[in-house]
Amino acid sequence: MLAAVRVRGTVGVKSDIADTMEMLRLTRINHAVLINENPSYKGMLLKSKDYITWGEIDHETLTQLITKRGRVVGGEKVTDDYINDNTEYSSIEEFAKAVLESEVKLEDANIKPVFRLHPPRKGFEGVKNAFREGGSLGYREEEIRTLIKKMV
């Protein structure tokens, strides 16, 4: 399971890249989504690499993300009670593990698929360079976990 975060805004974006990011549901800065690893999504990520960053998310980070920034379609926070009442899982930890293993989707529990995050503490490293060049854009492997923890 991959997590993708939009880093740059909408000004000057080519229309085909803007459409790709809209399909990924990354319409605003600091929005994050969870994406399954398959070739079509990989192509979409590579096409919009100059505006987003992504990497592999782990169980602990996903649990923290759902607990602190997850919202139900009505706008309420996601709690253990909500997960227990509306899914077959008893806690957010179990639900997050099932999401990572692709057994269930966020939408199945009526949870919004987009997480609205804060800007990262201490800021982005640079929004015009790739991650490997000291910036914030593109593929960052496991380092996405530290970025998301700074943004939650």
Side-chain angles (χ1 to χ4, degrees), residues 106-136:
L106 292 172
E107 293 89 354
D108 296 340
N110 213 18
I111 297 173
K112 291 183 180 180
V114 177
F115 298 95
R116 296 169 54 190
L117 303 177
H118 295 289
R121 283 183 217 97
K122 309 273 181 167
F124 287 111
E125 292 86 10
V127 296
K128 294 189 177 182
N129 293 328
F131 180 71
R132 295 181 188 251
E133 297 170 355
S136 294

Side-chain angles (χ1 to χ4, degrees), residues 10 12 14 16 22-23 26 38 46 53 64 66 75-76 79 84 89-90 92 98 106 111 121 127 134 139:
T10 58
K14 292 182 181 176
D16 59 331
E22 198 163 317
M23 284 185 251
L26 293 172
N38 62 39
L46 289 174
T53 185
Q64 184 180 15
I66 293 173
E76 299 175 24
T79 60
N84 193 14
Y89 304 99
S90 61
I92 293 176
L106 292 172
I111 297 173
R121 283 183 217 97
V127 296
Y139 181 60

Side-chain angles (χ1 to χ4, degrees), residues 69-85:
R69 303 303 295 174
R71 295 285 183 262
V72 182
V73 169
E76 299 175 24
K77 283 189 167 187
V78 177
T79 60
D80 282 331
D81 294 334
Y82 177 82
I83 294 293
N84 193 14
D85 294 342

